[in-house]
Amino acid sequence: MADPTPTTVPLPAPVPVPAPATAAGHGPIDERAWRLYLDVLEAGGRIAAAAVSAAAVFLPDTAAVPVPAAGQPQALAELLRTGLLERDGTDGSYLAVNPRFVADTLSTEMNAEATRLLNRAERLTADLDPLIAAYDSVPRGAEPATADTQVTGREHIRQRIAQLGSTCREEALTAQPGQPAPAALELSLRQELPVLRRGCRILTLYQPAALTEPAAIRYAATVTGAGGEVRLLDEPFRRALVFDRTTAVVPATDDRDRAAIISDPATVAMIVANFDRDWDRAERVCWSSLLDSAPAQAAAAQIGRLLAQGLTQKAIATRLGLSERTVAGHISRLRDLYGADTLFQLGWLMRRGKHDA
């Protein structure tokens, strides 16, 4: 009959294992668990349960001398939770698991959890619809109009604009001169699509420089596909946003680091009147057809139209917000396309309606 008294089995000599490059940032486990996992590898990938229970850690420079280690049970639990260690059912020892396998398993679980969270986020507005309807149905007294409320800081401005957009019920007017930045377009799209889905109307005004930015073309095609409208105006105009024709947001400084939130009826009415005037003169664009065209082709078409109106190269560059070198390159292409020797001849041909850029 075997002796039930457990015998002490010496552990194999430690194999040097490189220590972590840094004491912080060990991903899904903490520093103590990280150290314990390395100790198990140094012991040959297996460690007896008794060794862990006795809080023994084998340091690389001390052969197999056990030393106290505070927090060892917690480190063991952390490694078992993440799957970096597993219990051997035959003798109760702990085996090191390949971290590649653990990483794949944890990554799959995290991706699944991220998908569940995204699905919940998409359903959140619909789930709260009854509360939204109840909130909107409560009559509220008219608040005194504030002529000019200053908001400082671009992040605070974006938050206030998002808040105004979330309460917009009928219409949003947007005038955005200059060439739009791709990051700003992505943010606008995330804010505007929910507004359009609620049945609100969004009218956006850009300058022709937007034709040279692929992100602007994709933005305009997406917005128009969702029911909005984006037009181009090759004239100077002021930057402004107006919600339900009652509240306007305009830059308060040239660097746009401070904005004025305006609800004075007379001032808002003037901003709306200027927008309506510019909107009526603006050009409609079939944005979906430009998705398959290079931005350079769209810009060349706009330059050709301005040449046909008799504008000079410098005037076109100023109007479109482009460099003269860029405009000159487009004009050179148009000359080759229509066989024009001079800018005057090219403009004359286009005034006859022969251009097809």
Side-chain angles (χ1 to χ4, degrees), residues 16-29:
V17 177
T22 176
H26 299 314
I29 60 176

Side-chain angles (χ1 to χ4, degrees), residues 124-140:
L124 189 57
T125 300
D127 292 342
L128 293 178
D129 272 345
L131 295 181
I132 294 173
Y135 179 88
D136 291 342
S137 65
V138 175
R140 294 174 178 82

Side-chain angles (χ1 to χ4, degrees), residues 38 44 84 96 126 131 134 155 170 184 203 211 258 260 281 300 322 328 332:
L38 292 180
L84 284 166
L131 295 181
E155 184 60 31
E170 296 180 1
L203 307 181
L211 293 172
R258 190 164 70 249
R281 293 203 304 270
L322 303 174
S332 176

Side-chain angles (χ1 to χ4, degrees), residues 179 208-212 299-300 302-303 313-314 316-327 330:
Q179 187 166 4
L211 293 172
T212 65
Q302 186 70 12
I303 290 172
Q313 176 177 303
K314 183 176 182 179
I316 292 173
T318 302
R319 180 72 63 85
L320 299 183
L322 303 174
S323 68
E324 286 196 56
R325 176 180 295 183
T326 300
V327 174
H330 288 302

Side-chain angles (χ1 to χ4, degrees), residues 18-27 29-35 38:
T22 176
H26 299 314
I29 60 176
D30 60 21
E31 183 180 355
R32 290 176 300 186
W34 182 285
R35 183 68 261 175
L38 292 180

Side-chain angles (χ1 to χ4, degrees), residues 231 237 306:
R231 293 185 185 180
F237 56 86
L306 295 177

Side-chain angles (χ1 to χ4, degrees), residues 90-306:
T90 59
D91 59 6
S93 60
Y94 297 100
L95 302 175
V97 178
N98 190 335
R100 293 189 183 90
F101 172 76
V102 174
D104 291 342
T105 302
L106 292 178
S107 177
T108 301
E109 294 174 355
M110 290 177 180
N111 284 328
E113 179 64 20
T115 301
R116 288 193 292 270
L117 289 175
L118 287 174
N119 290 335
R120 286 182 59 190
E122 291 179 355
R123 296 194 306 267
L124 189 57
T125 300
D127 292 342
L128 293 178
D129 272 345
L131 295 181
I132 294 173
Y135 179 88
D136 291 342
S137 65
V138 175
R140 294 174 178 82
E143 298 179 356
T146 302
D148 190 348
T149 301
Q150 299 285 324
V151 179
T152 303
R154 298 200 175 191
E155 184 60 31
H156 291 155
I157 294 172
R158 284 192 288 266
Q159 291 175 0
R160 187 59 189 273
I161 290 174
Q163 180 184 13
L164 290 170
S166 66
T167 58
C168 183
R169 297 187 178 185
E170 296 180 1
E171 179 186 64
L173 311 177
T174 304
Q176 303 285 357
Q179 187 166 4
L185 291 168
E186 292 179 8
L187 178 62
S188 297
L189 206 56
R190 290 197 299 269
Q191 293 177 347
E192 292 175 11
L193 288 179
V195 178
L196 289 168
R197 294 190 190 107
R198 294 202 307 268
C200 296
R201 187 171 72 145
I202 297 181
L203 307 181
T204 302
L205 198 60
Y206 279 119
Q207 288 180 315
L211 293 172
T212 65
E213 175 54 62
I217 296 176
R218 291 193 299 269
Y219 158 83
T222 303
V223 167
T224 53
E229 190 171 353
V230 182
R231 293 185 185 180
L232 296 178
L233 179 64
D234 56 357
E235 301 174 11
F237 56 86
R238 301 294 299 273
R239 186 179 303 273
L241 289 85
V242 184
F243 298 93
D244 290 329
R245 302 197 171 220
T246 59
T247 305
V249 183
V250 298
T253 57
D254 291 338
D255 61 5
R256 305 210 302 268
D257 199 46
R258 190 164 70 249
I261 313 298
I262 302 173
S263 55
D264 174 67
T267 307
V268 174
M270 182 180 65
I271 296 173
V272 170
N274 289 336
F275 182 92
D276 289 341
R277 179 200 61 197
D278 292 339
W279 183 258
D280 290 340
R281 293 203 304 270
E283 178 182 359
R284 291 180 172 86
V285 179
C286 182
W287 294 100
S288 59
S289 66
L290 297 179
L291 287 173
D292 299 327
S293 302
Q297 293 176 333
Q302 186 70 12
I303 290 172
R305 189 175 68 82
L306 295 177

